[in-house]
């Protein structure tokens, strides 16, 4: 979060470093979801919860909202917790967290790291909201996906890797859970062991902002980038 948004010393994380950080967090999430003796759902994946060591390797931190349960069972919860912009639509409507709600947040993280923009940006001057997923999706529809990459990189990045990450971010951020990949597939996509599914305009015709507003959430009011929010019970938010 500091390196993406702070002007201190004008430090810019290179694309190679960003890609390594992304792959490190993906591997960590795969371990939490599938490799450990329990299933761990982090529930608050975002740039400000990713720690960097002296070699700029990414480590997932802040497990204060994490929940764990046995493999083969479902996590039951009645509270929506996390940060707006990273909350999957089904989590908002049902309150049930799962590995796929983490995948949704990871998708927002992919776009955030690549574009250096927060998942929800409030344009006070124009009194409107820009949802990062919708903005990247619009560029994908227009064939200008590379225009969303962080301008501070000054074009010094691997175009194929950046477009892969952007498309994967859109796929992970899809409002329908059956379209999202699991973390094992995500790691294989990033490692180049599995080709990314072809995105079609039919599959990717959605507006996340509209979906969230349909669920009764206004990102303009609730998008505090660094804060965790608990939205209460489902009966209280419907």
């Amino acid at each position: 979060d500091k390196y993406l948004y702070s002007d201190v010393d004008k430090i810019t994380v290179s694309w190679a470093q960003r890609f390594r950080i992304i792959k490190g967090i993906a591997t960590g999430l795969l371990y939490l979801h599938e490799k450990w003796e329990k299933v761990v759902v982090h529930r608050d994946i975002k740039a400000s919860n990713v720690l960097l060591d002296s070699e700029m390797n990414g480590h997932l931190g802040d497990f204060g909202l994490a929940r764990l349960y046995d493999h083969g069972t479902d996590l039951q919860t009645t509270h929506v917790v996390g940060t707006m912009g990273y909350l999957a639509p089904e989590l908002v409507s049902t309150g049930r967290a799962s590995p796929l709600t983490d995948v949704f947040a990871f998708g927002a993280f992919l776009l955030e790291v690549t574009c250096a923009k927060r998942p929800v940006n409030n344009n006070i001057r124009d009194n409107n909201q820009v949802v990062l997923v919708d903005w990247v999706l619009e560029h994908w529809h227009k064939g200008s996906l590379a225009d969303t990459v962080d301008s501070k990189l000054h074009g010094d990045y691997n175009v194929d890797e950046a477009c892969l990450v952007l498309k994967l971010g859109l796929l992970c951020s899809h409002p329908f859970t059956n379209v999202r990949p699991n973390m094992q597939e995500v790691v294989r996509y990033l490692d180049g062991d599995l080709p990314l599914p072809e995105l079609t305009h039919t599959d990717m015709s959605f507006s996340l902002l509209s979906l969230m507003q349909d669920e009764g959430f206004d990102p303009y009011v609730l998008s505090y980038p660094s804060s965790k929010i608990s939205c209460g019970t489902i009966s209280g938010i419907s």
Side-chain angles (χ1 to χ4, degrees):
D1 188 89
K2 173 185 175 182
Y3 283 111
L4 287 177
Y5 305 118
S6 175
D7 291 330
V8 177
D9 298 327
K10 302 295 182 180
I11 298 174
T12 299
V13 183
S14 71
W15 173 254
Q17 291 171 322
R18 295 186 200 202
F19 195 52
R20 188 167 69 248
I21 290 166
I22 285 169
K23 293 174 75 172
I25 300 306
T27 302
L29 275 175
L30 172 60
Y31 178 79
L32 294 175
H33 289 174
E34 300 184 26
K35 303 296 185 181
W36 195 51
E37 62 187 42
K38 299 276 190 178
V39 178
V40 181
V41 180
H42 186 275
R43 300 206 299 172
D44 203 21
I45 299 161
K46 56 184 177 181
S48 58
N49 283 340
V50 170
L51 309 179
L52 303 178
D53 62 22
S54 59
E55 297 179 346
M56 299 296 285
N57 296 305
H59 303 271
L60 190 57
D62 194 347
F63 283 75
L65 297 181
R67 301 287 290 274
L68 71 160
Y69 58 98
D70 292 327
H71 288 274
T73 61
D74 291 328
L75 176 60
Q76 303 293 328
T77 181
T78 57
H79 286 77
V80 179
V81 294
T83 304
M84 290 305 297
Y86 305 87
L87 295 177
E90 76 275 8
L91 179 60
V92 173
S93 61
T94 69
R96 181 178 296 179
S98 73
L100 286 176
T101 58
D102 272 357
V103 169
F104 182 93
F106 180 74
F109 170 75
L110 290 178
L111 301 182
E112 183 178 19
V113 171
T114 307
C115 306
K117 295 182 182 294
R118 299 194 185 279
V120 179
N121 287 283
N122 297 325
N123 190 328
I124 303 299
R125 183 180 60 186
D126 298 332
N127 194 31
N128 66 3
Q129 305 153 326
V130 178
V131 176
L132 183 55
V133 173
D134 293 344
W135 181 71
V136 174
L137 190 59
E138 181 182 351
H139 276 277
W140 175 76
H141 281 300
K142 294 190 299 185
S144 56
L145 196 58
D147 291 348
T148 65
V149 177
D150 185 5
S151 60
K152 294 193 295 295
L153 292 172
H154 301 291
D156 184 16
Y157 62 92
N158 184 307
V159 176
D160 291 337
E161 287 179 352
C163 287
L164 168 67
V165 171
L166 288 166
K167 290 177 181 177
L168 184 55
L170 292 176
L171 196 61
C172 291
S173 300
H174 200 284
F176 300 136
T177 56
N178 63 321
V179 178
R180 290 176 218 152
N182 58 42
M183 288 310 302
Q184 187 172 73
E185 292 170 325
V186 167
V187 169
R188 293 186 66 193
Y189 294 143
L190 292 171
D191 287 341
D193 296 334
L194 190 67
L196 194 68
E198 190 67 32
L199 306 183
T200 69
H201 287 271
T202 301
D203 292 335
M204 305 304 290
S205 57
F206 63 86
S207 166
L208 199 61
L209 176 60
S210 297
L211 285 168
M212 296 300 281
Q213 289 175 334
D214 288 345
E215 295 293 348
F217 276 77
D218 185 355
Y220 186 84
V221 174
L222 293 174
S223 60
Y224 301 100
S226 300
S227 64
K228 305 182 188 73
I229 58 171
S230 173
C231 300
T233 61
I234 296 303
S235 60
I237 65 174
S238 57

